[in-house]
Amino acid sequence: MAFLKQIEQKWQRKWEEAKIFEADPDPEKPKCYITVAYPYPNSPQHIGHGRTYTLADVHARYMRMRGYNVLLPMAFHYTGTPVLAMSKRLADNDQDLIDDFINIYKVPEEKLKEFTDPFKMASYFHKEIKAGMKAIGYSIDWRREFTTIDPHYNRFIEWQFQKLRQKGYITRGSHPVGWCPKDGNPVGQHDTRGDVEPEIGEFTLIKFTYGDWVLPAATLRPETIFGVTNMWLNPEVEYVKAAVDGQKWIISKESVQKLRYLNKKVDVQKTFKGRELIGKEAENPATAKSVLILPADFVDPRNATGVVMSVPGHAPYDYVALKNLAKASAELKEYGLTSDMVAAVKPVSIIAVTEYSEIPAGDVVKQMGIETQLDPKLEDATKEVYRHEFHSGKMKPSTGKYAGLSVAEAKDKVKQDLMTEGKAETMYELLNKPVVCRCGTECLVKIFEDQWFIDYGNPEWKAIVHKALSKMEILPEELRAEFDYVIDWLHEKACARKSGMGTKLPWDPEWIIESLSDSTIYMAYYTVVIHIKKHEIKPKQLTDEVFDYVFLGIGKPAEVAAKAGINVKVLEDMRRDFTYFYPLDSRHSGRDLVPNHLTFLIFNHTAIFSEELWPRQIVTNGSVTMQGAKMSKSFGNIIPLIEGIAQFGADPLRMGILATAELLQDADFSPTLARSMQDRLERLYRFGEEIARVGEDPKATRDLTLPDRWMLSRLQEHIRMATEAMDKLAVRKAIHSGLYELDQDVQWYMRRAADQTENLHRKEIVDYVLSQVMDAQVRMLAPVTPHLCEELWEKMRGKGFVSLTSWPKPDPAKADVKAEEAETFIASTLEDTQNIIRATKTTPKKIHYYVATAWKWKALLTALQKSVTAKLAQNELMKELMTDPVMKREAKSVAKFVGPITDEVKKMSAERKQRQIQVGEVDEVMILNDAEGFFGRELNAEILVYSEEDTKRYDPKNRAQLAKPYRPAIYIE
Ligand SMILES: [Zn+2]
């Protein structure tokens, strides 16, 4: 471990001295521009954060080795509530947070006192995070570092917002937003605990009436109003009679505050228990029919208004609730109701769907075996009915003028009509509540007035974004549908706040642009910030004209430069760097940023830049769990990144995070895993050191034996697999090919080669083969464990840095199917023999092998040929074989052989068939004789090999006739 630490520091220093990760335009080389979301410096990073950044770094290192001029920059996101809220919590003496900072993250107590100033806190963690990124060995070009509150960056964001506004993508008005009532601010994903995006649903409030009172029932399916059979109220909760915008409403007590935030004027007049209305009748505003108000303890007063309409024909919850209630006669009696009265409430069918009978809810409930309202399957049942009805349902004649419409059409039309007639309103509500603000307050929906929005609801803009997405590579591809969904679903997003650090809205400086809105196109800024720093350009020199020229190519450089007071050469360099590195080749982030940041990034790029500059790829990854559990402070299982590096070493940590999971899976980390990675890498190091010492002998290639050719051939296959995996960033798979599977082959090779290394020339050959393996292995592992690989590379006398050398290419000249099949034959023969020895519990002295005769080979190869061109049939195979005079003579034996061989060939994979056809007849006698020393050593017995047709063979039990191609008969004495 100590030596790993030394190696890390040594190579980090050398990389820095040689400036090998500083990327400038190089017209000779193709470029590859990779970025990863810059971090909020509001707390130290832990191992969970490490995954996204490590993956981006591995990607950058891989592309560098593939010959690209790679740029991987980094900056820090000081903007908005993530930093501010953390600082506020400290100012409020939040003891949990203070304990975490002191105990988990080891922040000095006197430092902590300064953190009530958000800037001081951000600066502290900025340094801390940066030190961690260096210590883990990220290949970042640090010359481009900035923070989002740098005045130069502010100018860039101001320019971006002016552009958005000119294009008509900025709106001002009243819109529903997720809202923290305590902070008085809109909330997005980065403002909430657990990073949940508040999802706003638009419910229709249908105004049922009870005397002169309105019972507003919230629904997402207004078209089902015609199927309402009853209402549900919770008898045990408190409802209020209130004047709502002058109308008399009955609603749950909990809904009062929510309605006020939706800009309704609510005057509560009286509070009462729901039970008072049970058994009474309400009127359906669409049909004027009376419906019974029934008791339901499942009605949650916190959901919408706490008043619920019941549609048992099409809503599984209602269907089951009615069934259950009909049986609860004792309870019903309290309200003067009877089971018969409830049983008389029959589901009404209003939508025809081919998949179901009259009553879809009843069908699904029966299919799924649902008995009670508490059954979690009800959620699925509801979705399933809705899916079918929405997809293929048609409104029935019982719905009057809506008859014949699709459900999708009826849904909008019914709602519109009810609203126009004053029988319904809209109510916004969080669909995924509870959503809790970082300050600890539960969020709700507010109609936010006179607010600035980015209009992600604009349909023409959405169409462009869909087009951009369709041209992008999404890794893993299965997330593409989620992006399309988010693009459709997004609506106006509040883009400014009145508090926090950041850039002021250029036309309304009371407002500060919030953190998900000032982080969408900053990848462009990295390409030019280097010149801004180097030439000490002042913020006010960065005029809109300057950015217009640099990023959009608008204007004449000499004029723009003169007006801004910037050297024209510098201005042109900025333009050159931007056009060299843009478009962005790859964006990395956690998958939780799909619904906001990553989609906003596509939106904003299409708004600002021309089509050829839109991003090309997005890579998302899952999270990290700790020994199977979610990482969380309450579980006490968070390991700060800095501590992880100190404890396990940078390379084992990098490997530990990436070797256990593919992109979307959660990676499970544990100290045991990290330590096993340490052991594994130390072993690799010692082995490599050994090989490196001997060097390679080019003359050795002349005398390669079977195991040598096999090892070199396998190596090409592992290189091919690892390359294919890395191209899709399936890093786990690449590590498996390049490390674990390759090592298994090396183990086998060493066993096979062992007896031959006595001979000096043989030893040179084995060393040559192993040095070939090592050379490729070190290159393949370099992106993941760069420090160790640099050290080995140096020991192997590699040229320059392994970080800058080329990724290995499979050499087709070294691929050798014959050698691979022959070794497979040796391995399976050894295994068969060991199985027999184990089963018979003998200690063998002599082992006799009998290999299959020539006609058996011919039979097998004929069967293989036939099976690839057509369906293999035993009788046809036999017919064909009988045309051969040799076979004809052996007809009886052939007939016995054809059955089993047909079955075996049928079970073979297509690939295996091709390989065996390619290889043809194998000289098994020669192979086994050559491997005699190996078998003798492995089995500790004398080895004798005969051909089946050898008349002088020793075969007391007449075993030879059992021989098959690739499966010699075995006799043990
Ligand atoms: Zn709050």
Side-chain angles (χ1 to χ4, degrees), residues 340-378:
D340 287 347
M341 289 165 79
V342 174
V345 178
K346 294 278 184 234
V348 176
S349 176
I350 56 155
I351 297 166
V353 207
T354 45
E355 289 89 344
Y356 298 117
S357 72
E358 290 281 282
I359 309 297
D363 294 351
V364 174
V365 162
K366 271 168 223 150
Q367 271 164 30
M368 294 191 172
I370 297 168
E371 299 283 341
T372 76
Q373 290 129 258
L374 301 173
D375 194 325
K377 290 199 291 286
L378 271 170

Side-chain angles (χ1 to χ4, degrees), residues 180 183 437 439:
C180 170
D183 297 335
C437 175
C439 76

